[in-house]
């Protein structure tokens, strides 16, 4: 009877859009141990960033991930600006917030869809992704691309958003919100959904801190931390209250993200309303020297860049610590004891982004 | 809840966009395929230095430019760098192809002027 | 006798076409419920033809036997239903097919096919009692297990056995692997078991399975038509309504776990069945 | 013959593997399934299982680990089959050419039928790529038949 | 027909003597002449003799179409003394065993039985002379066939098995326990035959107790502590059942004034029976429950699996447990139409469901088989409780098919056990690659318990049909049959789970004395299944109709014919056979390509089968364990309450006597 | 050093003190962080040629608190996973990419977290250490 089922879950697996393998040890269908096996999308971006020059790096780091790409660029630019001693024009800071929050919206929609798919709710997946297309249209219009928008540059942003586009964005967001009301209602109150999420993959606040969880995973466990509180970009003016839930289960994580969608909608509107009329970029100057840390809040949590420069053309070291990287340990902790059927739900509940994790 | 949504969907027009031939065009400013205007190029190489993907190769001496659309990530850095407006990103996306190919052109041979 | 066989033959020949169209309709309606345009109506035929034309790739020979018996059992069951034969026998033949498919899934040492088979066993356990109870219901009414005796009733079954229309719809959802019961396999692969029990069947074998599904669909709907045999039009409408209900259910619910499904059918499903049976025992004509 | 050709071209089931992409391309593939692009109208289903798939969509740069998986998956797809490489990464390594864990494009591991350039390519481009790949697959199949005859 | 004429002339008593005593005689020879060859020869010959005798009985019954009966002259010997002496001798033996193994339980129960037997002897013990009388109707014929043919096959199978078994235990020829073993086995067979052909209850009781003793000896054969404990448990439980039997005899003697079963059945029975008679019937049921290992007495049969496999095969398929259900079937007309009968159906049905449920959680093949046996016996008992011609027909068919399939499965299990040194069905994963022939046999055996067109399923079908009038029992039958699917399917799945690449494995070599018995039973299971309908209509139906002729108001033949028989079985069998054979026979069966299993793209072949690459680039071999749901169906969670329910159902049986 | 490089103008309010500790004191210092219920963020390793600079970042809401350990190239580095299990990934990463000998990691990938056997060892290291002596790395 000591025998256990040991199976690979991934790398290529239809519930996982990205390759990661969990080595699952099961008894019947109860998970006894889950170990992640990664490295399928490891590229070596940190090293490449030491070989490419400062401006090229912007394009490199935003391709660490296609979901949270803008914020990667933002984090990098912000760190470099600090090393170079640049002050970003206020309009640029506001535009950065707008794009960041739109990114968060699209990322959360994407996640809500995938999450619905993880427990087999195909039509809900479709609803969220249909809404998400509205956001993609906004990106296409305002930044010239759907996915990698390349809107950030050192010293500011590359493009301005015209008033007309701002208006259209507001309109679109209105439609989006209406659709979101309906779909999020299902996500929060549907019987079958609750059956699949409530009480699954519980992470206590204490554990969340000790395991170093980040973002919604951390906040769903009742820890009030959000890197936007540090006031980067224009968040010093557009104050953000962290969204906190206490249950620490999959349901709470969904709820945090749903509430964050509303928060983001509000932030975009406030940012558009308060958009100052200044330049959108300053020219980068000088060769940076020194070490700094840049922290921003990604849809999945806190992103940390450590930059070390030595006054040359190229960076001495770029360290990227992404939120999913931090959430792997909590995941390993959450899985044992759950059913196999809940594995996708729990895995998805941390909103894993492997390309970010492995860089 | 979901019931009302799906029923509404059933009786409204699908959200599906028509595909070719009536495919919709991208909005102004979309970063699509990269195209060069051979005539205006001065082979200064500014685009090549800025290109993060090493998609452009400029030989300033031989006055030739080679562009590999398979490497290009359509970031637009080249277009920003080119003072001659020689390289531009089209609105239309780059279409799939079955074979690898590159774009290459070169300028008139350098007039042999003694320095 | 001869006529019976000929009708059965006709049904067996016509079923794939009917089933294909119904399956196509299923997919179109599902798509429309999701605000999509959806595939063409004849998509299932394209799929099956294509699968037949793929190279045979198998892990062992037993898989081939298992799918062929699976198909045969579906075809036979349909024929038996049309011929008005014993429903209990029909159910066991149906189960035979399913068990062979499960064994086919077990015969490959692949994690997903194995787990899918394990779950399919539970799915079978979940719906089988409901089916048998329904047949017992007809027995209480008619004093016989044969489908033909149902034809002889004056009152539509649906009136005396309303709860079984519901359980039958549940069974249909389970057998068609629709949400919330798509635990062992599903028609799209976005699930933890990849394609579950179907994972290791490929090409022509998969085509045979898909073909058998068409028969299964017709058979399941045929069961429901039986509930209103007095007026075939009403019967067909009822069957289509149940099918529609299954499709809608599929689109308004998440996939549940095997454990939940089993608990649900054995509590709610069996309670419904038992209540209706009790009513039948109390009022129905107990024969002999 | 004719009927089967039609069926094949109307029912491409796809398998998607991310060999080291940034997610951008993968999401665009997923977007193809959603209401706005709805590829099911062309009979395309994301089947997620190599044994049922006709077309393999590969995104991202290839490293040694993912190359192994890619090969394995490709080998488990029954013929006739096609491979579509999607995005600059899958075509050449794209922006990651300087990275130490990048072997290059997908064609360094598998025979690629169609290349879909872009970063990330639009869903339209991806659909176009799949359709193109089907054409090539048919051609190859016919050639094989002729060769066998 | 003409050829068979002379057969009719053979006296039933002669046949009876052959059936009952020849095995014992051969046994003594085996015991006395201790050589390998004599053992092989004698056991085989004994098997043949028994088989031939059984076939003769069958032929006679078939030709004459009536029950055979005969009685030895009452004056020929002091029969009552003999049988009483026999009973007492057996009890003395049991008491000695109890003392020797210091088992208070056995001792106590045996004492109680002694008291009852003595009471019977001292009081109305002489209501009738106990001259051996033989009554052989179809039920007896079926039992004799099962005991003699299948029993013999198992005995022959036991020859190579026990040799290997002792080799494993390191016992050499000189110290071999085999002579005693085969003696017991053969005596056992004789006793079983005696049990089913005797008409006098006192003789039945005597043979009944002989089987109890024999089974004790066989279970403790290996002499380990566990074997002793389990054997003692079997002993006390069965002796307890014997108490019930003895009480029934007392009651019958006092109130019906006869011990002849046939006479009893003709006396006012069923609804017309008096209270003591009903109580006596309830006591018989109790006895049957112990012997047939019904809950809560099932533990003895589970424990009996410590014995060598031939013993298990014997106990489960053709002897011992079948005695209990035989007794109930024999007396079924007597309690027809009573409340007792209904409670019996429920009690049997309960064991059927409960043990099928418990079987799901088992990985030990023999334990699964044991649970399945108990479950099937429960089903048979439920059928006797349902007590209608159709139900009894189902019971008879179950008797036959279960004996075939179970004998087959146990023997196959034994072969596998010697092949892979494990009884765990998890270890049988992919057995099809290692022992394809045995696996094929085993799979046929399992499927014959499970699928149409095999007889067990047809019998279940009939049982369900017969149960519609007792909704509670019907519910149990439906649920029990469904649960059965779970463990059989899982097991078969384990057997078939094969690695790619080993698709055409080499067929293993089987000892001829393994091969022949296995093949015989396989062929038997398949042949009888194919012939299930003729069997039903030609043999079982008339017999059952005849049987219920005794019972007023229970007329009517087997109504299965109306529906189930109307099914175009030829078509069904034809299509199924085509479906199985087509892929094998049609030229293009071989796949174009054989590929490994899908493992998310990381599959590799490791030295011990398929595996995958995982954490830290290590390869890990894939391991898949079946689902056993210990959390839900675990024995330790459920046995207690189930036993309590079963016990209260038995109490209910006695209670229902009062309310009729 | 980090302090000096921090430009005063950026509107970032997180304070980033860095405290150097010796390798021997590392685990104790980390335990102290744990006692303060700080969240482990990550570690950053810099290859400074002859030595490694390793930062451990901890967060307390908006504030960061960092430890800096400097070790010679071939030295052993104790794992902190006994205190913060969450550090297992980053320690495995350092081990693989920089070739730092991190000992006693709770879940040890044995230097095979990201890459396969055949790849160049320790690609992030400026000097290839261990099995591949300097100069043979590329
Ligand atoms: N993990 C991660 Fe990202 C985010 N959000 C970030 O740095 O997604 Ni791809
Ligand atoms: S394209 Fe523009 S930047 Fe590039 S070489 Fe020509 S002129 Fe210079
Ligand atoms: S668009 Fe970007 S990647 Fe493409 S050629 Fe220009 S600079 Fe290079
Ligand atoms: S091509 Fe661009 S979008 Fe696609 S994976 Fe590569 S970097 Fe990401």
């Amino acid at each position: 009877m000591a025998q256990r089922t040991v199976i690979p879950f991934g790398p290529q697996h239809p519930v996982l859009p990205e390759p990661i393998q969990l080595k699952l040890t099961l008894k019947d269908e109860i998970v006894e141990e889950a170990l992640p096996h990664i490295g399928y999308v490891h590229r070596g971006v940190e090293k490449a960033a030491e070989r490419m020059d400062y401006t090229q790096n912007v394009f490199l780091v935003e391709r660490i991930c296609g979901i949270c790409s803008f914020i990667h660029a933002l984090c990098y630019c912000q760190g470099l600006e600090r090393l170079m001693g640049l002050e970003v024009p206020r309009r640029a800071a506001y535009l950065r917030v707008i794009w960041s929050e739109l990114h968060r919206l699209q990322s959360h929609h994407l996640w809500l869809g995938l999450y619905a798919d993880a427990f087999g709710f195909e039509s809900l997946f479709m609803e969220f992704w249909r809404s998400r297309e509205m956001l993609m249209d906004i990106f296409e219009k305002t930044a010239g691309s759907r996915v990698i928008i390349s809107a950030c540059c050192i010293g500011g942003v590359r493009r301005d958003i015209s008033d007309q586009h701002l208006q259209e964005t507001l309109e679109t967001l209105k439609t989006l919100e209406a659709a979101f009301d309906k779909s999020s209602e299902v996500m929060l109150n549907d019987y079958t959904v609750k059956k699949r999420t409530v009480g699954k993959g519980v992470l206590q606040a204490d554990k969340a801190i000790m395991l170093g969880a980040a973002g919604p995973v951390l906040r769903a466990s009742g820890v009030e931390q959000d890197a936007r509180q540090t006031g980067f970009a224009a968040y010093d003016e557009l104050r953000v209250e962290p969204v906190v839930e206490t249950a620490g289960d999959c349901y709470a994580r969904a709820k945090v993200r749903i509430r964050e969608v509303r928060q983001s909608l509000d932030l975009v509107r406030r940012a558009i309303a308060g958009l100052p009329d200044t330049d959108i970029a300053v020219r980068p100057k000088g060769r940076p020297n020194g070490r700094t840390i840049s922290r921003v809040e990604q849809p999945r949590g806190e992103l940390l860049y450590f930059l070390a420069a030595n006054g040359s053309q190229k960076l001495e070291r770029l360290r990227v610590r992404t939120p999913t990287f931090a959430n792997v340990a909590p995941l390993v902790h959450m899985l044992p004891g759950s059913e196999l059927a809940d594995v996708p739900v729990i895995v998805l509940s941390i909103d894993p982004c492997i390309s970010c994790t492995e860089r | 809840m979901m019931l009302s949504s799906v029923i509404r969907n059933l009786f409204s027009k699908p959200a599906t966009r028509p595909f070719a031939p009536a495919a919709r065009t991208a909005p102004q400013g979309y970063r699509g395929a990269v195209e060069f205007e051979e005539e205006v190029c001065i082979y200064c190489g500014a685009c090549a230095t800025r290109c993060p993907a090493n998609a452009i190769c400029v030989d300033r001496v031989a006055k030739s430019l080679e562009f590999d659309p398979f490497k290009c990530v359509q970031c637009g850095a080249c277009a920003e760098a080119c003072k001659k407006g020689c390289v531009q990103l089209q609105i239309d996306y780059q279409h799939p192809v079955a074979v690898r190919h590159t774009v290459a052109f070169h300028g008139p041979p350098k007039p042999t002027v003694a320095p | 006798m001869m006529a019976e066989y000929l009708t059965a033959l006709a049904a067996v020949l016509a079923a794939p076409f009917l089933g294909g169209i119904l399956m196509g309709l299923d997919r179109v309606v599902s798509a429309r419920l999701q605000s999509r345009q959806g595939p063409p109506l004849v998509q299932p035929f394209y799929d099956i033809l294509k699968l037949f034309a793929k190279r045979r790739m198998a892990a062992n020979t037993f898989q081939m036997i298992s799918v062929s018996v699976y198909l045969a059992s579906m075809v036979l069951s349909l024929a038996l239903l049309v011929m008005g034969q014993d429903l209990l026998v029909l159910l066991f033949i149906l189960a035979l097919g399913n068990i062979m498919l499960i064994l086919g899934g077990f015969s490959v040492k692949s994690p997903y096919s194995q787990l899918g088979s394990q779950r399919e066993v539970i799915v079978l356990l979940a719906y089988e009692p409901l089916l048998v109870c329904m047949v017992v219901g007809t027995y209480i009414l008619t004093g016989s297990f044969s489908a033909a005796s149902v034809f002889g009733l004056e009152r539509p079954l649906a009136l005396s056995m309303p709860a079984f229309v519901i359980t039958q719809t549940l069974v249909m959802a389970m057998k068609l692997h629709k949400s919330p019961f798509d635990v062992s396999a599903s028609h799209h692969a976005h699930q933890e078991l990849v394609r579950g029990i179907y994972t290791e069947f490929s090409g022509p074998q998969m085509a045979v399975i898909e073909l058998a599904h068409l028969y299964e669909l017709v058979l399941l709907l045929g069961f429901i038509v039986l509930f209103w045999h007095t007026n075939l039009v009403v019967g067909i409408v009822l069957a289509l309504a149940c099918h529609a209900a299954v499709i809608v259910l599929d689109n308004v619910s998440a996939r549940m776990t095997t454990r939940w499904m089993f608990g649900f059918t054995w509590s709610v499903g069996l309670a419904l069945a038992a209540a209706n049976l009790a009513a039948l025992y109390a009022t129905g004509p107990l024969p002999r | 013959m004719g009927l089967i050709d039609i069926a094949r071209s109307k029912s491409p089931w796809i398998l998607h593997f991310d060999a080291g992409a940034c997610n951008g391309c993968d999401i665009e593939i997923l977007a193809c399934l959603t209401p706005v692009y709805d590829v099911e109208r062309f009979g395309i289903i994301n089947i997620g299982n190599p044994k049922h798939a006709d077309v393999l969509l590969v995104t991202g740069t290839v490293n040694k680990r993912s190359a192994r998986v890619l090969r394995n998956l490709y080998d488990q797809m029954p013929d006739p089959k096609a491979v579509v490489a999607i995005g600059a990464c899958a075509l050449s390594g794209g922006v990651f050419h300087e990275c130490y864990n990048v072997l290059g494009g997908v064609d360094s591991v598998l025979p690629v039928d169609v290349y879909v350039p872009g970063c990330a390519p639009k869903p339209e481009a991806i659909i176009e790529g799949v359709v193109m790949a089907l054409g090539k697959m048919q051609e190859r199949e016919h050639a094989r038949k002729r060769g066998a005859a | 027909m003409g050829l068979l004429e002379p057969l009719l002339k053979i006296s039933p008593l002669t046949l009876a003597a052959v059936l009952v005593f020849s095995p014992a005689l051969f046994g003594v020879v085996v015991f006395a002449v201790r050589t390998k060859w004599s053992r092989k020869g004698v056991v085989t010959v004994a098997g043949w003799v028994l088989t031939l005798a059984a076939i003769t009985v069958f032929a006679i019954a078939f030709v004459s179409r009536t029950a055979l009966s005969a009685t030895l002259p009452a004056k020929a010997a002091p029969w009552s003394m003999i049988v009483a002496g026999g009973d007492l001798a057996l009890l003395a033996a049991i008491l000695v065993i109890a003392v020797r193994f210091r088992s208070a339980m056995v001792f106590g129960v045996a004492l109680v039985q002694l008291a009852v037997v003595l009471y019977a002897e001292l009081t109305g013990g002489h209501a009738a002379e106990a001259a051996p009388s033989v009554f052989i109707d179809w039920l007896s014929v079926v039992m004799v066939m099962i005991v003699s043919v299948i029993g013999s096959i198992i005995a022959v199978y036991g020859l190579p098995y026990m040799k290997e078994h002792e080799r494993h235990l390191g016992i050499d020829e000189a110290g071999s326990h085999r002579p005693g073993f085969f003696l017991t086995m053969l005596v056992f067979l004789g006793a079983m035959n005696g049990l089913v052909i005797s008409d006098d209850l006192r003789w039945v009781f005597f043979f009944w107790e002989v089987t109890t003793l024999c089974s004790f000896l066989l279970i403790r054969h290996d002499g380990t502590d566990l074997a002793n404990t389990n054997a003692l448990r079997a002993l006390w439980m069965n002796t307890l059942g014997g108490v019930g039997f003895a009480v029934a005899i007392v009651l019958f003697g006092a109130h019906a004034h006869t011990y002849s079963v046939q006479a009893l059945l003709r006396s006012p029975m069923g609804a017309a029976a008096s209270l003591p008679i009903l109580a006596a019937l309830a006591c018989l049921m109790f006895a049957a429950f112990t012997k047939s290992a019904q809950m809560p007495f099932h533990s003895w049969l589970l424990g009996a699996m410590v014995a060598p496999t031939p013993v298990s095969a014997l106990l489960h398929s053709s002897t011992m447990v079948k005695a209990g259900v035989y007794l109930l079937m024999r007396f079924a007309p007597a309690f027809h139409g009573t409340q007792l009968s209904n409670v019996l159906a429920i009690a049997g049905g309960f064991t059927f469901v409960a043990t099928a449920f418990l079987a799901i959680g088992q990985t030990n093949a023999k334990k699964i088989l044991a649970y399945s046996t108990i479950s099937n016996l429960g089903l048979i008992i439920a059928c006797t409780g349902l007590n209608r011609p159709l139900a009894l027909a189902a019971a008879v068919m179950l008797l036959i098919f279960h004996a075939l399939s179970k004998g087959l499965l146990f023997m196959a299990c034994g072969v596998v056990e010697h092949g892979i040194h494990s009884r765990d069905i998890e270890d049988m994963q992919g057995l099809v690659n290692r022992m394809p022939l045995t696996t094929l046999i085993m799979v046929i055996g399992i499927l014959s318990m499970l699928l149409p067109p095999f007889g067990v399923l047809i019998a279940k079908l009939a049982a369900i049909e017969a149960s519609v009038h007792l909704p509670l029992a019907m519910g149990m039958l439906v649920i029990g049959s469904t649960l059965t699917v779970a463990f059989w399917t899982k097991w078969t799945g384990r057997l078939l789970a094969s690695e790619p690449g080993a698709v055409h494995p080499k067929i293993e070599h089987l000892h001829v004395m393994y091969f022949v018995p296995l093949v015989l039973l396989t062929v038997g299971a398949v042949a009888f299944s194919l012939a299930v309908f003729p069997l039903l209509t030609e043999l079982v139906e008339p017999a059952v109709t005849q049987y219920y002729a005794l019972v007023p108001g229970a007329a009517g033949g087997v109504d299965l014919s109306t529906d189930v028989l109307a099914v175009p079985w030829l078509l069904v069998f034809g299509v199924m056979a085509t479906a199985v054979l087509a892929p094998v026979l049609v030229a293009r069966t071989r796949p174009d390509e054989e590929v490994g299993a899908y493992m998310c793209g990381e599959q590799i072949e490791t030295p011990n089968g398929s595996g995958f690459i995982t954490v830290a680039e290590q390869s890990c071999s894939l391991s898949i364990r079946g689902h056993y749901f210990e959390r839900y169906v675990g024995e330790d969670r459920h046995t207690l309450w189930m036993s309590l329910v079963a016990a209260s159902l038995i109490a209910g049986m006695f209670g229902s006597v009062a309310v009729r | 050093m980090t302090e000096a490089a921090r430009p005063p103008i950026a509107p970032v309010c997180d304070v980033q003190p860095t405290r150097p500790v010796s390798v021997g004191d590392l685990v104790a210092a980390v335990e102290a962080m744990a006692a303060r219920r700080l969240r482990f963020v990550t570690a950053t390793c810099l290859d400074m040629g002859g030595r490694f600079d390793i930062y451990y970042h901890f967060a307390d809401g908006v504030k960061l608190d960092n430890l800096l350990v400097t070790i010679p190239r071939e030295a052993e580095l104790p794992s902190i996973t006994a205190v913060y299990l969450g550090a297992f990934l980053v320690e495995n990463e350092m081990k693989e990419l920089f070739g730092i000998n991190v000992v006693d990691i709770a879940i040890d990938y044995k230097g095979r977290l990201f890459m396969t056997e055949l790849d160049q060892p320790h690609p992030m290291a400026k000097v290839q250490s261990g099995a591949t002596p300097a100069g043979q790395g590329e």
Side-chain angles (χ1 to χ4, degrees), chain E residues 375-390:
Chain E
S375 180
N376 273 287
L377 294 169
L379 180 58
I380 298 180
I381 291 180
C383 284
T384 57
L386 291 170
N387 221 336
R388 350 181 49 231
L390 181 57

Side-chain angles (χ1 to χ4, degrees), chain A residues 65 67-68 72 298-301 303 322-324 353 355-357, chain D residues 23:
Chain A
C65 175
I67 306 175
C68 51
H72 271 289
Q298 281 275 24
R300 287 160 190 76
L303 172 67
T322 57
T324 304
C353 174
S355 58
C356 276
T357 310
Chain D
N23 251 334

Side-chain angles (χ1 to χ4, degrees), chain C residues 49-70:
Chain C
L49 263 179
K50 175 207 68 182
L51 284 170
F52 266 121
K54 293 216 79 160
R55 222 76 81 241
R56 284 187 312 276
M57 183 184 248
N60 60 44
T61 323
F62 182 76
Q63 282 189 308
M64 308 218 174
I65 299 180
S66 83
V67 295
S68 93
V69 175
Y70 179 57

